[in-house]
Amino acid sequence: MKISTCTIATVIAGLGFAALLLRADAGQAVKVDFSNDTVGAEPKSFLGVVGIWRIEAEGNKKVLAVDGSQWKEGQTAAGVADKARALYGDRYAEFLDRVQAYAYFPYTVAKDVDDFRDGDISVRFEGISGRIDQGAGILFNLKPNGDYLTVRANPLENNLVLWKFEKGKRSSVKWIRNTPTPTRQWHDLKVRVAGSKVEGYLDGKLYLEHTLAGPVTGRIGLWSKADSHVYFDGYAVTPAD
């Protein structure tokens, strides 16, 4: 699999992270490295559409954090209209009609992955705090109308869930219990997509399998919920061969 590096232009974003991004053209991989980013900086390779996303330091390492301690119900990110335009151009108004309904669920969108269909999306995460939730999810199948899917883990609940967001409403598609995910520890989360088949892995173990009504196609990113304060690192996208 060929991997090529591209220069990342600064983009308007909610509080988030800057990174080195390898462009995901056909047959190529995406990897994100936070080492060149500034703590507290806005993202360059992601668009923080909902919630507060930024670079934080864990020891001598830089990580992406979603900061739910500043969350307020109904709060999107600043400049959300500009972010919607960056994602969907002339269709941004359609996206905005739905995004406000998701303000309870912070998410950030990978800037240079326009249409993910088949392959793996993986990330490392660590639940730091949050009394309501410590949700760490992989966002995928994000449509111009704001509909999307996410597979999320939660150290407070020790479960893995495939959620569907459609027409401003959330519903569970598949719920897997008894998935040990201690807080204040790093864990690996991976989503594997093959057409309409979705698999969810936690710490290298396959827990979740589901076949959707149609194939996956759309934008991808990261997802959280409410007052979650979660660290993310090692975001990678590997298209199927």
Side-chain angles (χ1 to χ4, degrees):
M1 182 172 293
K2 184 180 178 182
I3 300 176
S4 62
T5 304
C6 73
T7 302
I8 305 303
T10 300
V11 299
I12 300 172
L15 292 176
F17 66 95
L20 172 66
L21 183 67
L22 303 184
R23 189 171 184 85
D25 295 321
Q28 295 181 337
V30 169
K31 294 183 180 179
V32 175
D33 177 8
F34 307 132
S35 61
N36 295 320
D37 295 321
T38 302
V39 172
E42 296 181 352
K44 290 184 178 180
S45 53
F46 279 66
L47 294 172
V49 175
V50 181
I52 297 170
W53 299 81
R54 63 167 173 256
I55 287 290
E56 294 187 6
E58 186 186 46
N60 59 359
K61 188 177 181 66
K62 295 175 183 177
V63 296
L64 169 63
V66 57
D67 184 4
S69 66
Q70 300 183 50
W71 167 81
K72 294 180 181 178
E73 189 169 358
Q75 178 189 51
T76 55
V80 66
D82 291 323
K83 298 175 182 65
R85 285 190 188 93
L87 287 171
Y88 292 116
D90 292 341
R91 297 190 66 179
Y92 81 97
E94 182 181 0
F95 182 80
L96 285 177
D97 286 342
R98 299 280 178 80
V99 72
Q100 190 67 31
Y102 301 146
Y104 188 70
F105 309 106
Y107 65 85
T108 187
V109 181
K111 174 179 175 284
D112 283 332
V113 183
D114 296 332
D115 188 11
F116 175 84
R117 300 190 180 197
D118 297 302
D120 294 350
I121 311 169
S122 60
V123 72
R124 299 179 67 236
F125 72 90
E126 179 183 13
I128 301 302
S129 64
R131 297 181 63 184
I132 299 173
D133 277 279
Q134 292 182 24
I138 291 174
L139 174 82
F140 63 105
N141 209 46
L142 177 63
K143 307 296 187 183
N145 67 359
D147 292 349
Y148 65 85
L149 296 166
T150 183
V151 170
R152 79 101 180 95
N154 191 335
L156 292 185
E157 299 177 4
N158 291 316
N159 55 35
L160 191 67
V161 183
L162 172 60
W163 292 107
K164 175 176 67 175
F165 289 76
E166 192 173 69
K167 297 179 180 178
K169 295 182 179 180
R170 179 182 69 150
S171 59
S172 61
V173 178
K174 193 74 174 282
W175 195 294
I176 308 297
R177 294 175 172 81
N178 300 317
T179 59
T181 322
T183 193
R184 290 283 181 171
Q185 294 184 24
W186 282 97
H187 302 279
D188 295 311
L189 181 63
K190 181 172 72 176
V191 170
R192 175 166 290 167
V193 174
S196 59
K197 183 179 179 181
V198 176
E199 296 178 344
Y201 296 77
L202 187 60
D203 291 329
K205 181 178 179 179
L206 173 62
Y207 281 101
L208 187 152
E209 296 180 272
H210 183 76
T211 300
L212 302 165
V216 168
T217 173
R219 287 187 172 270
I220 61 174
L222 292 168
W223 182 96
S224 191
K225 183 182 176 185
D227 68 337
S228 302
H229 186 190
V230 178
Y231 287 166
F232 295 93
D233 192 24
Y235 189 84
V237 184
T238 307
D241 294 327

